[in-house]
Amino acid sequence: VLTFNFMNCKTNSDFVNEILNKCENCYENGVLTLNLDKEKIIFKGNSSQTAIFNNLCIESSRAKQKLVFENFSFSSSKSLPLIKSSTDIDIEYKGTNKISSTSSDKVSLIKSLGLITFKGTDNNSSWEIQPNAVTSSKEGSIGVEANNVIIDGGNFVIQGSNGVDYSENDTSGTSGRNGSSGIKATETIIQNKTNVTITGGNGGNGIVVSKSDGT
């Protein structure tokens, strides 16, 4: 078990130092690569802080790695998933947790090539996933993308982002862009005592342009 404890972190540099003290060569340019031989990795945050760290992405490559989040909120402006795994991944959550993206490109906030299991450890556990609305001529961002998704316990809120409205700078036409799915998966299973809200994003507004020359 490896624990990153950020309850006393005040700045991003404190966060980085905490990481560097725990593992060597695993953090660079806002990406934390968890190729460590640990069955469970715990991110322990501070319930009084709304954001522990900005511009963070977590990548896991170990088979069936378990990530545990407790009062941990983070966001990223990078055009890549905030949590990414090349294998099955278990995510347990305690307390209040949130991830969000300020990226203007289409991206899945949590992405796995296999199975993602979200497990709330008690009735007060919450996990909120909130993509940002895109600002370019692309579709909205997906909350969770995997082959299969299981949501088991706690309070779970996830949304896909809205599509961008039509802009005269968008040369693709007069239609707005599609919103995206909260969850994109072959199968999603919701089980046990789980309070779940999953919403897709709205499509962007289109417009009919009328110019003085009649076009």
Side-chain angles (χ1 to χ4, degrees):
V1 178
L2 176 64
T3 302
F4 295 109
N5 190 334
F6 306 117
M7 294 184 68
N8 298 319
C9 287
K10 302 298 182 184
T11 66
N12 287 0
S13 61
D14 293 330
F15 181 100
V16 172
N17 288 334
E18 177 78 15
I19 292 174
L20 297 180
N21 288 334
K22 296 286 187 180
C23 58
E24 186 176 357
N25 300 322
C26 66
Y27 179 81
E28 186 176 3
N29 297 325
V31 178
L32 176 58
T33 304
L34 301 175
N35 54 7
L36 306 167
D37 187 22
K38 301 290 183 182
E39 179 182 352
K40 180 189 295 184
I41 296 178
I42 301 173
F43 296 87
K44 191 175 182 65
N46 188 336
S47 59
S48 65
Q49 291 183 250
T50 56
I52 299 297
F53 191 72
N54 294 319
N55 211 24
L56 172 69
C57 304
I58 300 171
E59 294 190 357
S60 174
S61 58
R62 185 186 187 277
K64 200 63 176 178
Q65 195 159 51
K66 180 178 290 184
L67 305 181
V68 180
F69 295 90
E70 182 174 355
N71 295 319
F72 192 86
S73 299
F74 63 103
S75 65
S76 179
S77 62
K78 295 180 178 296
S79 299
L80 71 162
L82 274 71
I83 299 177
K84 180 181 179 181
S85 176
S86 57
T87 67
D88 296 350
I89 185 171
D90 288 342
I91 296 177
E92 287 189 1
Y93 50 101
K94 306 176 183 180
T96 301
N97 302 273
K98 180 179 180 180
I99 67 171
S100 58
S101 174
T102 58
S103 171
S104 60
D105 292 325
K106 181 179 179 181
V107 64
S108 299
L109 264 63
I110 299 181
K111 185 173 183 178
S112 171
L113 298 180
L115 166 69
I116 301 180
T117 302
F118 297 93
K119 185 173 180 60
T121 57
D122 56 55
N123 291 335
N124 296 321
S125 300
S126 66
W127 184 254
E128 183 176 345
I129 302 167
Q130 187 176 29
N132 187 50
V134 294
T135 57
S136 63
S137 59
K138 299 181 180 181
E139 295 181 4
S141 295
I142 299 168
V144 173
E145 182 178 0
N147 188 36
N148 297 90
V149 174
I150 296 176
I151 304 172
D152 181 0
N155 301 283
F156 196 87
V157 177
I158 179 173
Q159 64 187 61
S161 68
N162 297 333
V164 67
D165 289 341
Y166 170 77
S167 168
E168 288 193 44
N169 295 324
D170 181 359
T171 59
S172 62
T174 59
S175 61
R177 292 299 178 181
N178 294 332
S180 283
S181 303
I183 292 179
K184 180 181 179 181
T186 302
E187 181 180 49
T188 300
I189 298 173
I190 299 170
Q191 60 191 27
N192 295 325
K193 295 181 178 180
T194 307
N195 180 20
V196 181
T197 301
I198 303 171
T199 57
N202 295 323
N205 292 319
I207 189 170
V208 177
V209 180
S210 178
K211 297 183 179 179
S212 59
D213 63 0
T215 60

